[in-house]
Amino acid sequence: MDGNGRWAKDRNQPRHSGHRAGVISVRQSIKTAAERGVECLTLFAFSSENWSRPKEEVSGLMKLFVEALRRELDELHFNDVKLKFIGNLDLLSASLRGKIFEAEQRTEANTGLRLTIAMAYGGRWDIVEATKVLTRQVTEGSLQINDINDEIFAAELQMAGVPYPDLLIRTGGEQRISNFLLWGLAYAELWFTDVLWPEFDQSVFDEALSYYTSKQRRFGHTGDQVKAVGC
Ligand code: IPE
Ligand code: MG
């Protein structure tokens, strides 16, 4: 979700008002995803690298996350959204962690949209952490090196249990993955737009979804093979 700062700058406003406007886009996008039958939506809210921003911006963002969770949780729960947070959550404040815990607990049994929010998340960090877990098991003797495969590895990643993303949307004009779900994105369609995140509305979301539906997903097969099995 990129472009909040530039959106604010274009209006001669402080960066924080861009982040505030971004929350409205988040709210709208969750609604659109649910309406369009998207099963899983994962939002990259704050990256491992974002800690290097000015102290006031980081603390402003953290406050905004707490506020947004406080304000939105009832409605998300009412709409059957199941929330999950990924990332190095130990680095977050106790009050934010408390909100996160509450949100996950309350929505645990929900069966609607699976909404994952990545906070203090980095794709490389995720892979390194999974490697540590597996290495420990090998050292302890509960796992054999030759038994490690894609599935065993993925089960230790933060997104374990959530299907791999089919589509990545990045706003704000950059064409980069910026350390998002490095493992999971291996087969995702990538869609980039110059639209700044606060201006990402239903029609832009629909554009991205149309791009996705126009693609034939081959997963290494030929087009004829895909047609033959009808997927
Ligand atoms: C939002 O956009 C990303 C967050 C970390 C919340 P930016 O803050 O990166 O906006 P730009 O790139 O400066 O426009
Ligand atoms: Mg940016």
Side-chain angles (χ1 to χ4, degrees):
M1 300 183 286
D2 199 10
N4 294 351
R6 280 165 281 164
W7 182 89
K9 196 162 179 243
D10 289 347
R11 284 160 183 73
N12 291 317
Q13 288 173 12
R15 293 180 59 83
H16 192 66
S17 63
H19 295 317
R20 283 195 170 281
V23 176
I24 299 168
S25 291
V26 168
R27 204 184 137 83
Q28 175 65 53
S29 302
I30 295 169
K31 195 165 158 270
T32 305
E35 281 172 13
R36 301 291 187 257
V38 170
E39 287 169 23
C40 307
L41 177 70
T42 304
L43 302 172
F44 201 3
F46 192 87
S47 72
S48 313
E49 291 75 21
N50 287 148
W51 291 114
S52 342
R53 292 195 174 195
K55 235 179 36 226
E56 315 74 61
E57 180 165 346
V58 171
S59 64
L61 277 166
M62 294 298 153
K63 260 195 220 135
L64 200 58
F65 296 148
V66 175
E67 258 173 48
L69 270 175
R70 188 173 294 144
R71 214 177 38 232
E72 305 293 335
L73 184 57
D74 282 348
E75 198 179 326
L76 289 168
H77 184 44
F78 178 79
N79 290 327
D80 208 21
V81 172
K82 184 181 164 83
L83 265 155
K84 174 186 163 88
F85 289 80
I86 61 165
N88 194 354
L89 305 180
D90 291 343
L91 300 177
L92 305 176
S93 69
S95 62
L96 184 50
R97 270 185 284 132
K99 280 276 136 208
I100 287 174
F101 182 72
E102 182 193 343
E104 288 185 336
Q105 291 278 304
R106 258 185 86 193
T107 63
E108 199 175 0
N110 290 351
T111 54
L113 177 73
R114 293 174 78 173
L115 175 63
T116 305
I117 304 197
M119 248 180 214
Y121 178 84
R124 289 180 180 169
W125 166 83
D126 195 359
I127 290 171
V128 168
E129 290 305 301
T131 306
K132 285 186 200 163
V133 172
L134 295 179
T135 309
R136 223 169 278 134
Q137 291 174 5
V138 169
T139 313
E140 286 162 1
S142 58
L143 177 69
Q144 301 303 307
I145 289 181
N146 286 333
D147 288 339
I148 299 175
N149 56 24
D150 275 19
E151 207 183 319
I152 301 262
F153 198 89
E156 300 306 331
L157 290 168
Q158 298 274 299
M159 290 294 272
V162 183
Y164 290 140
D166 292 310
L167 170 67
L168 169 91
I169 299 173
R170 181 176 183 146
T171 58
E174 312 292 357
Q175 305 201 353
R176 292 195 282 267
I177 293 176
S178 293
N179 204 12
F180 195 30
L181 304 166
L182 295 180
W183 175 283
L185 287 169
Y187 253 99
E189 300 296 334
L190 309 177
W191 192 78
F192 302 99
T193 175
D194 288 339
V195 169
L196 304 174
W197 178 250
E199 281 174 348
F200 185 84
D201 59 13
Q202 198 163 61
S203 70
V204 189
F205 202 154
D206 281 339
E207 242 183 87
L209 294 175
S210 315
Y211 172 80
Y212 175 76
T213 47
S214 74
K215 291 279 151 189
Q216 185 188 48
R217 309 276 286 150
R218 288 190 290 273
F219 297 101
H221 295 81
T222 66
D224 288 345
Q225 282 177 308
V226 175
K227 271 189 219 140
V229 294
C231 59

